[in-house]
Amino acid sequence: MAFDFEMIKRVYAGMHSKVEAARKTIGRSLTLAEKILFSHLHRDQPLQNFERAKTYVNFAPDRVAMQDATAQMALLQFMQAGRPTVAVPSTVHCDHLIQAKVGAKEDLDTALSVNKEVYDFLASVSNKYGIGFWKPGAGIIHQVVLENYAFPGGMMIGTDSHTPNAGGLGMIAIGVGGADACDVMAGLPWELKWPKLIGIKLTGKMSGWTSAKDIILRVAGILTVKGGTGAIIEYFGEGADSLSATGKATICNMGAEVGATCSLFAYDDKMSIYLRHTAREDVAAAADAIKQHLRPDDDVYANAEKYYDQLIEINLDELEPHVNGPFTPDLAWPISKFAEAVKANAWPEKLEVALLGSCTNSSYEDITRSASVAKQAIDKNLKAKAEFTITPGSEQVRYTVERDGLLDTFDKIGGVVLANACGPCIGQWARHIDDTNRKNSIITSFNRNFAKRNDGLASTHAFVASPEIVTAFAIAGDLTFNPLTDKLKNENGEEVMLDEPAGYELPPKGFAVEDPGYQEPAKDGSNVQVVVNPESQRLQLLAPFSEWEGTDLKGLRLLIKVKGKCTTDHISMAGPWLKYRGHLDNISNNMLIGAVNFFNEKTDLVKNELTGEYGPVPVVQRAYKEAGIGSIVVGDENYGEGSSREHAAMEPRHLGVRAILVKSFARIHETNLKKQGMLALTFADKEDYDKIQEDDTIDILGLADFAPNKALAVVLHHDDGSSDVISAHHTYNEHQIEWFKAGGALNIIRRKFAK
Ligand code: MIC
Ligand code: SF4
């Protein structure tokens, strides 16, 4: 599992001259993000002063990380690239497919048998192509990466939107779709628009019930779910340096919820200590030696407004614990206002389940602080009133907290320890509930709380908070409880208060683990066979998508005009559908089933224009495909928010949708659409959304001259014989237009390596 120290040394050795050259070219001091970006330019990318949010730039990332639910598609694509091994160090992590039902051991055993075919596939592909394989039970990708691979000043891409977690160790780590990972593993450059920069200055110091999670919950309230789009968020200030590395990682992790490309902290003593505690003394020493390149230049701190496109200041002395939700992670409530909000909105006050864990909050520090709250319940004779589950982030954390007696503490208040995996966070949760229609509340230490995400129930109101607040709420069982001010009645009828949580950043006795769950790939994998059963319901080899026909797209039918929030969970739901992540045709049966149809306010019910009847979205789309008719999907703001899953782009492509026309896109989803050869368009005038009618036939014109920065014309032929011509913008560069023409980026790679 050895991290690649030689690679890290190479990165550090090249950093000085690259940073100096960039500083000279730009003619000013540099922020940290700029230093890392400039030192990772692809060798074919000329150095220049790139325009933020405008210029596409080619990078050469140091690493690739993939989790099982997205790795299947990434690797099915990579297998077609025709390379013998991966070009950069890469790993696969089995964390998303384990369903939480009974408890850690039983659930893991069930997953091993239920998902055998997929695990065997991932293990053999990894073995063949030189990819490190982390077995089921080893932990959640972002925790395992933080503990083993992340390093200050590095650049990584990962097929998961919370890849930016590694920013807690000062790494530029960005979530991408599998097709992007496939490029980098094939040795091709990776392209990103030169990001904008948001600076967040943290003054003061946190205390009491407030923790790192509350910083990002507050930031989500300020920036909203799209405020970070196209930007890297850099945290700095005395408050930043006082946070533990895992606390920093929590903040960077959840930066995905504001749409940020990634988030970043500067290298400091906290990171150095974390590296040393996780057996990477040599990385810490190497980073110490080039520390000046792993932090912004001095003038950036002194005159921050000159360097950032947006500057936010948060005073940690005054920051309250927050609870965000329901249904969206940016609805931020300071705890002092939360009870009022619960009552005013008539959200269910009774808390039914409290869930601790996820890649956001499952560090040693998180667990010790939560356990300190749980322990008080035991000492003060309180019982947890809500169901309570705990998912450790990695086997290393689990083993260590078990050794230190902390799991026992949770057990004593009725907590159930689940497998080291995503579990309920991604809807892998067999929730026991008497009435699935009853409005109910749950609280989690996770990052996302979109409708139906955790348990598939529209009636569930999910809130997100810090692990210590989640634990306090588990004990109180009541959403109107404020642990800072309110008393609880114990089993003896006495009124008691919970004291402030206390914990350890790192285990005083050090981390320990017996079997971390890692499998090293074969030195020479050329003889390793990867078999995919053609009858399989879970894996399907990919057939190339067809090329663009060379003409404008005419006579498209409107598949659905989506109303309001449409995340990737609405486009390609997870939970029960995760089992089809390696089988494009099967998973396509979930396409857009969670999206609300503007015309009838219902989900999964759209008009089939061929018959005039209403039916489920995938069924209607298959009818259009069968009839050889293309279609179009219309959407609202921040379309495709959330996950990196490229299935949300591949499914419409596979089923014959030709274009997605929306008010705005989330970054990863827009790229995924382009990569798969779809047209990703935005309304030039957002009000044109209102002109789209249910029975419209739609033409997209101007494709013969498809060019960067040139709008396309969209003609809406309405049923009454009238028509509207509207303008659609796009962000394709020359190179991405080639993807469209070739029918997808993979067709180009295929050609390249076939030569
Ligand atoms: C998520 O948190 O939504 C996921 C599940 O981790 C996704 C990846 C996926 O859909 O497989 C993500 O964040 O990218
Ligand atoms: Fe897993 Fe949840 Fe983290 Fe996504 S957000 S990687 S599902 S724990």
Side-chain angles (χ1 to χ4, degrees), residues 144-161:
V144 174
V145 166
L146 194 74
E147 287 170 8
N148 295 278
Y149 301 122
F151 66 96
M155 180 188 263
M156 172 175 72
I157 59 162
T159 60
D160 191 280
S161 66

Side-chain angles (χ1 to χ4, degrees), residues 67 69-70 96 160-162 426 448 453 581 643-645:
Q67 44 90 341
T70 49
H96 279 62
D160 191 280
S161 66
H162 293 104
I426 189 49
R448 297 204 165 126
R453 177 169 166 102
R581 283 291 184 86
S643 160
S644 65
R645 61 191 77 144

Side-chain angles (χ1 to χ4, degrees), residues 95-96 140-142 160 162 358-360 422 425-426 447 453:
D95 53 0
H96 279 62
I140 308 173
I141 174 168
H142 311 302
D160 191 280
H162 293 104
S358 91
C359 57
T360 331
C422 301
C425 181
I426 189 49
N447 40 36
R453 177 169 166 102

Side-chain angles (χ1 to χ4, degrees), residues 19-53:
V19 169
E20 291 305 323
R23 202 183 278 123
K24 222 163 127 202
T25 308
I26 312 303
R28 58 160 171 79
S29 298
L30 299 176
T31 67
L32 174 60
E34 286 170 334
K35 289 184 183 182
I36 305 178
L37 291 170
F38 279 118
S39 55
H40 285 84
L41 294 182
H42 190 265
R43 59 179 181 277
D44 297 339
Q45 173 67 60
L47 171 63
Q48 51 179 276
N49 199 351
F50 305 106
E51 202 178 340
R52 290 182 187 176

